[in-house]
């Protein structure tokens, strides 16, 4: 699998919020970085962002990233070319031919993937588990929200890359900085599947 090959796996949390237990099922594996969508004020969770299960250490987003009114490249063909074209043109002017404005956890996820790329540029030796720990350890808290809603908090790309650099400079003992305590390696896929089945049964009506 990708994680075992050294690849960092990032998934969108889903847009089925604000109800509980609405996470994308592919998002809850312990080796996945599950991304919720937040407003660009770095304090507010988007209403549509999927939530996990209160008190459950597995069924929750990992981190929240900007996912509301994000400007991104527009397809030059297909339905996305015309989707909200008139509305976007008000905000983007002539650039609307090349760009669109969209919201969703799929718009938030690339912010995390991009941060991961910067972290690996700063410290290519980081493992996927170390990257996940550094991201969560450097996240900005979001007061008023629980972990099952926003995970560790709002993405702080600067602090995440700084943490990666700190770890690179201390590879001898590899002691983690106070802002990012490294966690043990993710459980095996078999152990995860067994735990997930058990948790589903426990939360079934």
């Amino acid at each position: 699998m990708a994680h075992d090959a050294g690849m960092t796996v990032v998934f969108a949390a889903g847009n089925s919020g604000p109800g509980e237990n609405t996470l994308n099922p592919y998002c809850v594996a312990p080796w996945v970085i599950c991304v919720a969508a937040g407003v660009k004020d770095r304090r507010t969770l988007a209403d549509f962002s999927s939530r996990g299960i209160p008190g459950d250490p597995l069924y929750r987003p990992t981190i929240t990233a900007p996912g509301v009114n994000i400007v991104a490249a527009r397809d030059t063909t297909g339905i996305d070319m015309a989707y909200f074209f008139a509305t976007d043109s008000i905000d983007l002017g002539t650039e609307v031919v090349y760009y669109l404005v969209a919201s969703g956890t799929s718009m938030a996820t690339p912010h995390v993937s991009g941060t991961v790329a910067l972290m690996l540029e700063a410290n290519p030796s980081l493992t996927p588990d170390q990257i996940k720990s550094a991201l969560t350890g450097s996240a900005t808290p979001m007061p008023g929200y629980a972990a099952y809603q926003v995970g560790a908090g709002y993405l702080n790309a600067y602090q995440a890359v700084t943490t990666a650099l700190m770890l690179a400079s201390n590879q001898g003992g590899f002691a983690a900085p106070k802002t990012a305590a490294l966690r043990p390696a993710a459980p095996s896929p078999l152990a995860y599947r067994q735990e997930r089945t058990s948790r589903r049964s426990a939360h079934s009506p």
Side-chain angles (χ1 to χ4, degrees):
M1 60 184 307
H3 172 271
D4 293 341
M7 298 175 63
T8 301
V9 183
V10 187
F11 268 103
N15 303 324
S16 301
E20 299 175 1
N21 197 16
T22 53
L23 283 181
N24 171 3
Y26 297 105
C27 201
V28 299
W31 54 84
V32 169
I33 297 172
C34 178
V35 186
V39 179
K40 286 181 276 188
D41 63 1
R42 300 192 297 258
R43 298 188 304 269
T44 308
L45 181 67
D47 288 340
F48 59 77
S49 188
S50 292
R51 272 67 162 173
I53 300 173
D56 193 304
L58 185 63
Y59 280 73
R60 62 175 62 179
T62 305
I63 199 167
T64 301
V68 178
N69 295 329
I70 305 300
V71 177
R74 182 187 295 272
D75 291 343
T76 55
T77 59
I79 190 171
D80 285 342
M81 180 64 181
Y83 197 61
F84 291 138
F85 190 92
T87 304
D88 289 343
S89 66
I90 297 174
D91 297 322
L92 302 177
T94 57
E95 296 297 318
V96 72
V97 176
Y98 306 105
Y99 300 96
L100 56 75
V101 180
S103 299
T105 55
S106 291
M107 304 305 290
T109 303
H111 287 83
V112 175
S113 298
T115 301
V116 170
L118 292 173
M119 294 170 70
L120 286 171
E121 183 177 10
N123 184 356
S125 68
L126 289 175
T127 67
D129 296 325
Q130 291 165 352
I131 288 171
K132 184 173 182 177
S133 290
L135 283 170
T136 56
S138 61
T140 302
M142 297 173 67
Y145 293 102
Y148 81 93
Q149 299 170 310
V150 299
Y154 209 95
L155 173 69
N156 188 325
Y158 178 83
Q159 288 299 330
V161 175
T162 298
T163 298
L165 286 169
M166 293 172 67
L167 293 173
S169 66
N170 191 28
Q171 288 188 15
F174 218 88
K178 294 181 180 179
T179 55
L182 297 179
R183 297 173 182 170
S188 68
L190 177 60
Y192 159 67
R193 285 194 293 269
Q194 292 172 339
E195 182 179 6
R196 183 179 177 189
T197 300
S198 175
R199 290 179 184 279
R200 275 188 167 179
S201 300
H203 290 288
S204 297

